[in-house]
Amino acid sequence: MKAIIPVAGEGSRLRPHTHTTPKAMMHVAGKPIIGHILDTLIPLGVDQAILVVGHLGNKILDFVKNNYPQLELISVTQKERKGLGHAVFLAKDLVAGEPVLIVYGDTIFEGEFSRLIHCEADANIGVREVEDPSRFGVVQMKGKRIVRLVEKPTSFVSNLAIVGLNYINSSSLLFECLEELISSCITTKGEYQLTDAFQLMVDKQARVEAFPVENWFDCGKPETILETNRYLLEKSVSVPRIEGSVVNPPVFISGSAKIISSIVGPYVSIAEKATVENSIVRDSIIGEDAKVRQCLLKGSLIGANAQIKGSASRVNLGDYSEIEVH
């Protein structure tokens, strides 16, 4: 089975991290977001991943090649960011009318999804109730069928948000609708939207149904990444013992990380070759090769190769940055 995964977004809400790291490569509970996504898709029978990449896309492709050799990896470059619909349309010739999964590259899912792909509808769209539907594409239902879809509504339409896990049986019809949007320059908020293409499918009498997704995590902002990190770490069973330091689970600590005279946890993820020394760290994510010394950190994101020394309570520090507080 094929899966299209658009990962070309800028990740502006995650700056400064996304100046040097693509959003899909942000670490959560021990691995990049794209790793969590692929771990969900492979048990569903996905053996071909079509990644729509942009700036820094080589970092995503290298990670997938090195860690998921069982996948056939195909990349398409979105040279201009014209929206999610445009990104998906770039994969048209690679799908050739076959059923396809379309999965957004900044969301993590958990659950039993076999029903998602064993449906007779033309499209099966993953949805979940949300408190702020204005941030998402939303659907209106009539029985099991979706009858209306609106991208980021300015007035209330529905609180059922499209969460980014979609199975398309009639992919030829979807690409026909995307081509219609693009050729006619039909945009919403300045971009070609996948939500609008789904609406065109409905308008053409396609059967579009909704699939409830309970465990869904939006990783588009620092606070939601930390929230996702907390949830996923709760499922961790290993509690590393580190001589001379205290570890309060749940945590993820890479085997190559150095923890010296520190208190770590709960809800801390520490990546490869990072160093935490003489510090107390809670509810934080520490990137690869980062160095944290003499700090009190809580609710923080520390990027790869970043260095921080001194007292601080909450820090959002990008890759290769350095802070020393006296």
Side-chain angles (χ1 to χ4, degrees), residues 82 117 195 214 292 295 308 323 325:
K82 298 181 179 181
I117 62 176
T195 304
E214 295 300 326
V292 176
C295 285
I308 180 168
I323 291 179
V325 181

Side-chain angles (χ1 to χ4, degrees), residues 254-265:
S254 168
S256 60
K258 294 181 180 179
I259 313 299
I260 304 167
S261 302
S262 295
I263 300 173
V264 175

Side-chain angles (χ1 to χ4, degrees), residues 229-241:
N229 188 63
R230 289 193 293 270
Y231 175 86
L232 295 177
L233 287 176
E234 284 280 7
K235 304 170 73 66
S236 174
V237 294
S238 62
V239 181
R241 296 174 62 90

Side-chain angles (χ1 to χ4, degrees), residues 37-294:
I37 292 171
L38 295 176
D39 288 347
T40 298
L41 297 184
I42 289 172
L44 294 177
V46 170
D47 54 11
Q48 185 180 89
I50 304 169
L51 299 186
V52 185
V53 299
H55 179 57
L56 301 173
N58 60 302
K59 293 188 176 183
I60 304 172
L61 298 176
D62 287 346
F63 172 80
V64 176
K65 287 175 185 176
N66 292 333
N67 292 276
Y68 295 90
Q70 70 271 46
L71 284 176
E72 179 184 355
L73 177 61
I74 302 175
S75 66
V76 181
T77 301
Q78 187 183 27
K79 296 179 181 179
E80 298 180 81
R81 281 181 281 276
K82 298 181 179 181
L84 185 60
H86 175 261
V88 171
F89 183 72
L90 294 176
K92 174 185 176 182
D93 294 338
L94 299 170
V95 175
E98 299 175 43
V100 65
L101 275 163
I102 301 174
V103 183
Y104 302 172
D106 59 356
T107 51
I108 295 175
F109 306 91
E110 278 194 337
E112 172 50 57
F113 298 122
S114 59
R115 285 196 301 118
L116 175 72
I117 62 176
H118 292 105
C119 71
E120 297 181 358
D122 295 296
N124 205 5
I125 310 301
V127 300
R128 182 183 174 182
E129 290 188 2
V130 296
E131 292 184 2
D132 181 12
S134 65
R135 293 178 49 223
F136 306 94
V138 299
V139 305
Q140 282 185 337
M141 305 291 300
K142 187 174 182 179
K144 292 183 178 181
R145 297 186 69 159
I146 295 173
V147 295
R148 186 182 177 208
L149 304 97
V150 180
E151 180 65 24
K152 295 183 174 68
T154 55
S155 58
F156 184 80
V157 174
S158 164
N159 64 350
L160 281 178
I162 301 169
V163 299
L165 182 63
N166 313 295
Y167 181 70
I168 314 300
N169 262 320
S170 299
S171 63
S172 294
L173 178 58
L174 172 63
F175 286 112
E176 175 188 314
C177 293
L178 285 168
E179 188 166 14
E180 184 176 331
L181 292 177
I182 293 169
S183 62
S184 302
C185 294
I186 300 172
T187 64
T188 298
K189 302 185 186 298
E191 295 185 333
Y192 298 109
Q193 303 289 354
L194 188 59
T195 304
D196 292 340
F198 291 152
Q199 179 63 56
L200 278 179
M201 292 180 71
V202 171
D203 294 343
K204 294 176 185 290
Q205 307 305 310
R207 185 175 184 88
V208 180
E209 297 184 353
F211 176 86
V213 177
E214 295 300 326
N215 293 329
W216 159 70
F217 308 96
D218 174 15
C219 296
K221 301 184 295 183
E223 57 266 37
T224 56
I225 280 193
L226 289 170
E227 180 182 347
T228 302
N229 188 63
R230 289 193 293 270
Y231 175 86
L232 295 177
L233 287 176
E234 284 280 7
K235 304 170 73 66
S236 174
V237 294
S238 62
V239 181
R241 296 174 62 90
I242 299 174
E243 187 175 349
S245 293
V246 176
V247 177
N248 296 318
V251 298
F252 170 85
I253 300 175
S254 168
S256 60
K258 294 181 180 179
I259 313 299
I260 304 167
S261 302
S262 295
I263 300 173
V264 175
Y267 305 116
V268 173
S269 181
I270 300 177
E272 291 79 7
K273 300 179 182 179
T275 299
V276 176
E277 184 175 0
N278 295 323
S279 297
I280 300 174
V281 182
R282 295 179 290 169
D283 189 25
S284 297
I285 299 174
I286 312 298
E288 296 180 7
D289 285 296
K291 293 178 174 58
V292 176
R293 295 189 173 96
Q294 300 171 22

Side-chain angles (χ1 to χ4, degrees), residues 23-42:
K23 181 163 56 172
M25 286 299 295
M26 291 290 291
H27 271 245
V28 182
K31 70 178 68 173
I33 294 168
I34 187 66
H36 290 284
I37 292 171
L38 295 176
D39 288 347
T40 298
L41 297 184
I42 289 172

